Amino acid sequence: MAGTSELVAAVGDADFAAQVLASELPVLVEFTADWCPPCRMMAPVLAELAAERVAELRVVTVDVDVNPETQAGYGVLSMPTMMLFRDGEPIWSAVGARPKRKLGQELTDAIARARAAA
């Protein structure tokens, strides 16, 4: 599956570590699939978040049908699953589509908690 916009990159098993785990910015990963209607609903939400938070957050997608190692490695069973990574570790996750405002607040809260704990 291609990235949903120029600011939402598609990453896979081969480049997940470099693109997500080694990122200096927090990275929101959407585990997705072409056959998943809620995943398609999230595409414009993720594109908007990526554009609005370009300086503070990266947004990527992982197509689970062609990247089984990454999917299995993080125990992803349902799509869409979103995970927020910071410093190479998942710090937040959620399953299912959600409105942009709610997702944005969840990400803000998760990043703030991670910073406070560091």
Side-chain angles (χ1 to χ4, degrees):
M1 175 180 279
T4 55
S5 81
E6 61 208 34
L7 295 175
V8 180
V11 300
D13 291 343
D15 62 349
F16 188 84
Q19 296 296 319
V20 176
L21 304 181
S23 176
E24 299 214 358
L25 289 175
V27 182
L28 175 63
V29 178
E30 181 198 29
F31 291 89
T32 186
D34 285 336
W35 48 262
C36 168
C39 299
R40 289 191 296 272
M41 289 174 31
M42 288 305 299
V45 171
L46 296 175
E48 287 178 27
L49 278 173
E52 291 171 6
R53 297 184 177 207
V54 70
E56 63 179 296
L57 178 74
R58 290 192 65 225
V59 180
V60 303
T61 61
V62 174
D63 185 328
V64 298
D65 290 330
V66 293
N67 299 288
E69 291 175 27
T70 303
Q71 174 193 5
Y74 290 98
V76 174
L77 301 175
S78 300
M79 273 51 72
T81 292
M82 286 165 276
M83 287 188 179
L84 182 64
F85 287 79
R86 183 172 184 261
D87 297 327
E89 297 293 327
I91 61 168
W92 173 86
S93 67
V95 176
R98 54 223 324 105
K100 182 179 120 184
R101 183 171 181 219
K102 180 178 182 180
L103 178 58
Q105 188 60 54
E106 290 172 332
L107 295 173
T108 297
D109 293 348
I111 291 169
R113 281 192 306 274
R115 284 185 183 139

